[in-house]
Amino acid sequence: MTTDHSSHTTAARATPGGPMTVVLDLTDQDPAGPPVLELRGPVDPHRVEAALDRLGRLGTRPAPAWRPRLEPADDGHHTLRLTPDGPPAGDAPFPAGLLADLLTVTESGPGPAPRIEPTPLQRELLADADAHPGTEGWCEQLAVTWSGPLDPARLAAAWQSVAERESVLRAAFEEGPEPWIVCHEGAGTEVLRFPLGSVDWHALVEADRRRGLDPRRPGPLRVTFLGGGPDAAGRTRVLLSFHPALLDDWSVRLLLHEFYRAYLAGGELPGGARRPDLGDYSRWLAAQDTAPAREFWRGAPPGPATYPPAGGGTGQVRTRITPEESERLAAWAGGLGCPESSALHAVWALALYRAGGHEGAADISFSAAVSGRGILLDGVERLPAALRNPLPMTAGVNPYAPLTELPARLRDQVLDVSGYEWVSQGRIRSWTRPGGPAAPTAVPRTGSLVVFENRPRPPGDLAPALAALGVRVSTPETLGARTGFPLTLVAHRDDEGGLVLTATCLGTGLAQAEDLLTRTAHALRELPRTATPAMTVGGALALLAGPPDRAPRGRPGTRRGAALTELRPASRPGTGTVCLVRAPGTPLSSLTRVAYAYRGPEAVVLLRPPPYADASAPAAEAVVGALTDLGGPLVLGAFCGGGERAYALARQLVAAGRRPPGVVLTGTATPAGTFAHILEAVVRRTR
């Protein structure tokens, strides 16, 4: 349902299908115009929209669609006002009575809603949410920037179409001691839209987070648009809030891809209902033999969690590692035979060790999130559900041991548990602690949780199809995760390739969280630059103990203006330049490998994609000016996706009086050495 900016103040949505009373007061109302209705009892905006939709399909009054607006009154009732989207057709009076009938229908749909048994993980997440009531909402958030026109009616229809296909968007937990999941027919995603300038973005994000989501009411996903319109030439900010007991961040990205497809199709998502769905996964899980997992965890029981420094309050802090530093970190971890996540786990363990004042060898325990999708269920990678699972990790920190051993041991732990990603912490606790319940429903979250985001790759045809409508969308950005853990650290790569670290604390102090985060980021920047094969864990701890350098540190090289970064200097002045044009979504590592493979005497520079806030004409002119000032031949190179910008730049350079540059485009599967060799040949041809 799409509402205007006044509707977000309505009371919490009530259970669909409950009794409702509609009061019609015809005093001072235009008989031919839409009435003002007073609604008493449980009010669900989706129920109002369904009644209006059915009223329109009955065809009793040919007229444009009606836009509802719910206004809460002091006595707990609601006033429903209707506004036509266009001029009415005909003189027939508005069928207020029929609308009242449709609103007060007690039952909807052909029969009872299907019930699905929740997974142990979902039971635990629901218990976490119940254990932390109050004004601080229980939800996670993603943000997207939409550049270009946005049709409000089309977006509302698109989200409703996705909800009709994806049962999880209509799901809610039942009330009572056995909270089964019910998929409600007619429910859908709540969609809010605020005019640009009506509210501050950061205030909107915080208010939405505090509002939270109730997992016992249909709709675990809420979408909020700030700005937008059919003629919008600027940016629209999109906020997606979701409840982790029914969805994870991977799932919301999948649903966002589905929304794009529905929007491109005019608001109607092609295809039928999702399979596999929540029920398929629940049945798969119930059929698993838990004996091997039980033996595994009993053989290596997790130790008690290491608590972060104590403090008071709830909040969030964030820092960023530059793209160059992030690439150096990935290369360092790769040299140790580890992914970046293992390097982060190792540094986080060191930061907890230091903060706890430990001496000598000590076991540092925390939880690490796994995707939960490494299972033998066909299509699970495309299933939107709550599958991300925190599993216990233990890092043996010995100051006298070689540093290289620590991330390798943590990597091996992740590999060992990869076959049991579906096992919840509650089950592990029951297996490893005598007298534990066989099927726990409540697990106290202790210590800290580290989440290194994995993202589904968007379909390659979405960006060009949206571009044909004049639309560009950014990669969804994580705004932090509020979980049941006292401290949650989330790491993700942004559109520029930088590593963003966000710490969300629940009960731990912001100052303590900021110190942990700052020292972790400092070590992730400095260890790849300074660590030697002989460095011990104690040497890394000394690096954390020193005063951290909070200023971003970049890879050695010369900045040539705001957009150009020198990846490889020229062997002598005036030889020319190869400019690699990076398109959104192209990994920075792909272009740096080309720079390392290039053997010609020319300089190699990187042109980054413009941020959405700085895609203006002056910014483009600055890029053209910087490229014009470069001496010697110029060749522009790009992987697939950067050709449009590279060609446009070439035309602008010619218009500015520069010698026509060469333009080289290649597929993303082209090896770096092959691409570099082609660039060398084109440079020679342009001399």
Side-chain angles (χ1 to χ4, degrees), residues 332-649:
W332 179 67
L336 301 178
C338 300
E340 291 173 276
S341 56
S342 295
L344 175 62
H345 293 159
V347 171
W348 185 248
L350 295 177
L352 290 174
Y353 178 98
R354 177 198 168 276
H358 295 279
E359 295 182 0
D363 285 338
I364 303 299
S365 297
F366 55 92
S367 294
V370 295
S371 71
R373 298 173 190 274
I375 62 175
L376 296 177
L377 174 63
D378 189 31
V380 69
E381 69 282 353
R382 306 299 300 173
L383 170 64
L387 302 185
R388 191 185 70 194
N389 188 19
L391 292 180
M393 302 278 291
T394 300
V397 178
N398 183 349
Y400 303 102
L403 174 64
T404 56
E405 293 181 358
L406 184 57
R409 288 200 304 269
L410 290 168
R411 173 207 60 202
D412 292 344
Q413 282 191 51
V414 172
L415 292 174
D416 288 341
V417 304
S418 61
Y420 310 112
E421 289 189 2
W422 47 273
V423 180
S424 69
Q425 278 198 343
R427 280 191 168 185
I428 296 171
R429 184 182 297 268
S430 70
W431 295 335
T432 57
R433 296 191 179 184
T441 59
V443 178
R445 305 295 184 188
T446 58
S448 57
L449 171 65
V450 180
V451 181
F452 199 101
E453 269 191 2
N454 291 312
R455 300 175 175 179
R457 184 179 296 275
D461 60 338
L462 281 183
L466 289 169
L469 297 179
V471 173
R472 292 185 304 162
V473 292
S474 67
T475 302
E477 177 189 10
T478 299
L479 299 183
R482 183 155 296 164
T483 67
F485 288 86
L487 184 60
T488 302
L489 175 67
V490 179
H492 76 275
R493 286 288 191 111
D494 60 18
D495 274 351
E496 292 289 313
L499 187 65
V500 181
L501 304 175
T502 305
T504 305
C505 53
L506 184 67
T508 58
L510 272 176
Q512 292 84 350
E514 183 177 11
D515 183 71
L516 271 174
L517 185 66
T518 301
R519 294 183 185 278
T520 297
H522 177 67
L524 292 174
R525 293 184 184 110
E526 293 300 318
L527 282 175
R529 190 176 65 88
T530 61
T532 65
M535 177 178 276
T536 64
V537 171
L541 288 169
L543 183 66
L544 268 77
D549 178 7
R550 296 171 184 258
R553 301 179 67 93
R555 177 180 295 171
T558 305
R559 282 272 176 173
R560 298 178 179 267
L564 296 180
T565 301
E566 187 177 82
L567 299 178
R568 181 180 180 277
S571 61
R572 57 184 183 276
T575 56
T577 306
V578 172
C579 179
L580 300 177
V581 181
R582 185 185 177 201
T586 301
L588 184 61
S589 57
S590 299
L591 297 171
T592 54
R593 282 195 292 268
V594 174
Y596 295 150
Y598 193 83
R599 294 292 179 263
E602 295 79 20
V604 181
V605 300
L606 173 67
L607 176 61
R608 301 182 180 279
Y612 288 95
D614 192 28
S616 58
E621 292 176 2
V623 171
V624 172
L627 291 174
T628 302
D629 293 338
L630 299 175
L634 174 65
V635 170
L636 304 174
F639 282 104
C640 179
E644 185 177 1
R645 189 180 183 210
Y647 182 68
L649 278 174

Side-chain angles (χ1 to χ4, degrees), residues 37-58:
L37 292 80
E38 179 184 350
L39 307 183
R40 303 188 180 191
V43 176
D44 179 15
H46 294 287
R47 185 174 175 179
V48 174
E49 184 183 42
L52 288 170
D53 179 67
R54 193 172 178 192
L55 183 71
R57 285 188 281 109
L58 289 174

Side-chain angles (χ1 to χ4, degrees), residues 209-227:
R209 180 185 292 123
R210 288 179 176 273
R211 179 186 174 191
L213 288 157
D214 188 346
R216 290 182 172 84
R217 289 174 180 156
L221 174 67
R222 181 171 57 246
V223 185
T224 304
F225 289 81
L226 178 58

Side-chain angles (χ1 to χ4, degrees), residues 142-151 155 159 223-225 228 232-240 252-264 455-477 494-496 583-586 609-613 615 641 644:
L142 297 177
V144 176
T145 299
W146 177 292
S147 298
L150 179 62
D151 185 340
L155 77 89
W159 275 116
V223 185
T224 304
F225 289 81
R235 298 186 304 160
T236 301
R237 306 294 294 272
V238 186
L239 178 66
L240 301 104
V252 176
R253 288 178 167 84
L254 292 176
L255 294 170
L256 192 60
H257 299 162
E258 296 294 281
F259 162 71
Y260 293 151
R261 288 203 178 282
Y263 189 89
L264 288 167
R455 300 175 175 179
R457 184 179 296 275
D461 60 338
L462 281 183
L466 289 169
L469 297 179
V471 173
R472 292 185 304 162
V473 292
S474 67
T475 302
E477 177 189 10
D494 60 18
D495 274 351
E496 292 289 313
T586 301
Y612 288 95
E644 185 177 1

